[in-house]
Amino acid sequence: MDLNRFKPMDSTRVLFCVFSILAQILAEQEVENLSGLSTSPDKDIFVVRENGTTCLMAEFAVRIVVPFDVLAMNGIDLITEQAQITVPRGAEIQGKCGSTEAELQISWINDAYTFRLFFIKEAHNVSKGQDVFWKINKIQFVYDTKEPSHFINAVNPGKHTASSHHLSALVTPGGRSYECQAQQTLSLISSDHHKGVTISMSEVRIQPFDIKSDFMFSEAYKCITDQREQLEEMLPLILGIILALIIVITLGVYHIRQKMTANQVQLPRDRSQYKNM
């Protein structure tokens, strides 16, 4: 039997299988930048879908402050300036979903900037069973100081990576989304001479796991700051209700006492009238 006649057919089958697998992978995952639907000009909306179902959703406004060195006027000394960077509406996104790990990657200006959020879901044994929660365990920002719109006359321009260390942020009970309108600030350490990069996030709503309905967040878990602000907003109303109840109770007690006093027999003040009673 001539085995050579099977080689072209086998090669064709292999290529067909490879292309089929690649096509299947591409078809299974979709990423969408829906920032154009945001009512806030600073807030971005990102969605990752797999197998036709939403598996990761994120809404937030982010501002990144990056220090960089430039030459002073004397041409010898270095001075540090700061670049204020935000995510543009046309940013490209990639995502990765999993049962215990997820990732959101946002890139813009030909990959001159890349912002990555890494999520992890954990379970701890407690007396009542398992305590399941998710959190951000790593943030990474890659930036290129050769990019002129934010970095002007940077010394030794090139790509740098700023990363978090031992991060545990946005800790949220399993099956719920995280919501925080207040600004939160996180610090990263850059590969550029260990400079500190600041990430400020606000108007945050994120859920990287256990999304039950397509394009719909699960019940929100509000951050402590929002809870405190909500309590402060409700406090005058609560105090007003308590004060109104005190007034109503006081008036009620006064009315009842007046009624009881009116029904009592009036004893004469003159002792001489007692014998006629």
Side-chain angles (χ1 to χ4, degrees):
M1 181 180 294
D2 186 6
L3 297 177
N4 290 330
R5 64 189 181 90
F6 289 98
K7 288 183 180 180
M9 184 176 293
D10 291 343
S11 300
T12 303
R13 286 179 178 175
V14 170
L15 288 172
F16 178 77
C17 290
V18 170
F19 283 118
S20 297
I21 292 171
L22 288 174
Q24 185 176 3
I25 291 172
L26 292 173
E28 285 179 352
Q29 187 179 84
E30 303 172 31
V31 291
E32 298 185 57
N33 185 341
L34 303 178
S35 301
L37 302 177
S38 174
T39 55
S40 171
D42 299 321
K43 185 170 71 173
D44 298 291
I45 304 173
F46 306 106
V47 176
V48 179
R49 304 177 79 238
E50 285 188 354
N51 299 318
T53 304
T54 304
C55 59
L56 189 156
M57 289 182 65
E59 299 180 2
F60 53 77
V62 61
R63 183 175 296 277
I64 306 168
V65 179
V66 180
F68 65 100
D69 294 330
V70 298
L71 280 174
M73 294 295 291
N74 59 16
I76 300 173
D77 298 325
L78 295 178
I79 58 175
T80 301
E81 296 193 356
Q82 291 185 334
Q84 306 274 344
I85 302 170
T86 57
V87 178
R89 284 292 169 93
E92 298 180 356
I93 69 168
Q94 296 181 29
K96 187 185 300 182
C97 294
S99 58
T100 59
E101 293 183 0
E103 178 185 341
L104 178 65
Q105 176 177 304
I106 308 164
S107 303
W108 62 99
I109 311 183
N110 298 319
D111 293 334
Y113 304 100
T114 301
F115 182 57
R116 293 190 182 98
L117 297 174
F118 298 85
F119 306 92
I120 188 170
K121 183 168 70 171
E122 297 180 341
H124 292 170
N125 292 323
V126 294
S127 58
K128 297 181 180 180
Q130 280 196 329
D131 181 22
V132 180
F133 61 90
W134 64 264
K135 63 181 180 180
I136 293 179
N137 66 325
K138 185 179 180 182
I139 295 178
Q140 190 177 76
F141 181 60
V142 179
Y143 59 97
D144 192 346
T145 54
K146 289 186 293 186
E147 200 281 305
S149 63
H150 292 99
F151 300 97
I152 301 174
N153 299 324
V155 174
N156 298 321
K159 275 203 170 185
H160 304 283
T161 301
S163 302
S164 60
H165 294 272
H166 309 293
L167 183 63
S168 180
L170 280 59
V171 180
T172 304
R176 297 176 67 176
S177 63
Y178 177 89
E179 182 177 10
C180 193
Q181 296 299 312
Q183 181 173 292
Q184 303 171 86
T185 301
L186 300 166
S187 297
L188 312 183
I189 302 299
S190 174
S191 59
D192 182 15
H193 299 89
H194 299 284
K195 289 182 172 65
V197 173
T198 302
I199 307 289
S200 297
M201 300 178 69
S202 59
E203 301 180 75
V204 178
R205 188 80 185 268
I206 295 179
Q207 186 172 359
F209 304 102
D210 306 318
I211 296 178
K212 298 176 182 177
S213 301
D214 211 18
F215 293 105
M216 293 287 290
F217 286 108
S218 299
E219 180 186 357
Y221 174 78
K222 293 184 178 291
C223 62
I224 299 299
T225 306
D226 279 10
Q227 293 180 26
R228 188 184 300 116
E229 290 180 355
Q230 186 177 10
L231 179 60
E232 291 174 355
E233 291 175 358
M234 294 179 61
L235 194 57
L237 177 62
I238 295 171
L239 291 176
I241 293 173
I242 293 173
L243 181 60
L245 287 173
I246 292 173
I247 293 173
V248 170
I249 292 171
T250 302
L251 291 174
V253 171
Y254 175 79
H255 178 73
I256 293 172
R257 186 170 181 179
Q258 286 292 100
K259 191 173 182 180
M260 292 176 63
T261 303
N263 292 334
Q264 288 180 349
V265 177
Q266 299 293 326
L267 297 176
R269 294 183 179 181
D270 189 354
R271 292 177 179 271
S272 61
Q273 297 181 15
Y274 285 148
K275 61 183 178 180
N276 297 324
M277 293 179 63

